[in-house]
Each structure stands twice: as structure tokens, then as C-alpha cells.
């Protein structure tokens, strides 16, 4: 079981490295404004659209024109930085 968790964490790390860009120089919001490397879509936007599509990552991927794996990477980032991303979503909705 511990080995399964370790593999899952390694897979998540690879997703984050490949798909997520957290460039605080380019994005002043830092952790709250991380984006997907290939498309530039903000992590917070992907997370905010999940409830609109009843939590269906395939529909969110279609909406943004990105691969489902990119949505999975965004969700992995969100799990690690939830307070920052939630705050960014709240600012956008205000």
C-alpha cells in the first residue's frame, strides 16, 4: 500500500513538472496563478469550471481545448495549493 502511494505521488510529480508552470515572475499571483505550460490556461479557471460540468474532467478538457491529462495535472496542483487557488477563484467571482 505504501508503495502504491509512493508511485501515485511520483506520477503526480511528473504531471506537475510536465504540465504546470508556476512562474512567480510572469504571474505575480504566484501559487494562485499557476498555468498549464502548453496552453496557458490558469489552474484556477480549470478548477472553477469543474462544478459547471458536474465534475467531469473530460468536459472541462473539451471546454478549454486541452487534453484530459492536463486537467488531471491541474487537479493535482490544486490538491497541493488549494487555499491559494480557492482564494483566486473567490477574487474572480467577486
Amino acid at each position: 500500500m505504501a508503495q502504491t502511494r509512493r508511485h501515485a505521488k511520483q506520477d503526480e510529480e511528473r504531471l506537475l513538472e510536465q504540465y504546470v508552470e508556476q512562474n512567480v515572475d510572469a504571474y505575480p499571483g504566484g501559487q494562485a496563478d499557476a498555468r498549464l505550460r502548453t496552453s496557458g490556461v490558469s489552474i484556477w479557471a480549470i478548477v472553477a469550471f469543474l462544478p459547471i460540468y458536474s465534475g467531469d474532467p473530460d468536459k472541462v478538457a473539451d471546454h478549454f481545448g486541452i487534453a484530459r491529462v492536463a486537467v488531471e495535472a491541474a487537479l493535482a496542483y490544486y490538491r497541493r495549493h488549494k487555499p491559494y487557488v480557492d482564494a483566486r477563484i473567490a477574487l474572480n467571482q467577486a
Side-chain angles (χ1 to χ4, degrees), residues 60-82:
V60 173
D62 287 343
H63 175 87
F64 287 105
I66 58 178
R68 180 191 167 116
V69 68
V71 173
E72 292 170 7
L75 295 176
Y77 182 87
Y78 178 61
R79 285 189 292 276
R80 292 182 179 199
H81 303 281
K82 188 177 184 327

Side-chain angles (χ1 to χ4, degrees), residues 23-79:
N23 182 342
V24 266
D25 293 329
Y27 314 124
Q31 294 172 336
D33 278 333
R35 299 169 188 260
L36 295 177
R37 289 182 193 283
T38 54
S39 64
V41 176
S42 297
I43 302 301
W44 69 264
I46 292 169
V47 173
F49 269 80
L50 271 171
I52 294 168
Y53 291 110
S54 302
D56 186 333
D58 290 318
K59 289 181 180 176
V60 173
D62 287 343
H63 175 87
F64 287 105
I66 58 178
R68 180 191 167 116
V69 68
V71 173
E72 292 170 7
L75 295 176
Y77 182 87
Y78 178 61
R79 285 189 292 276

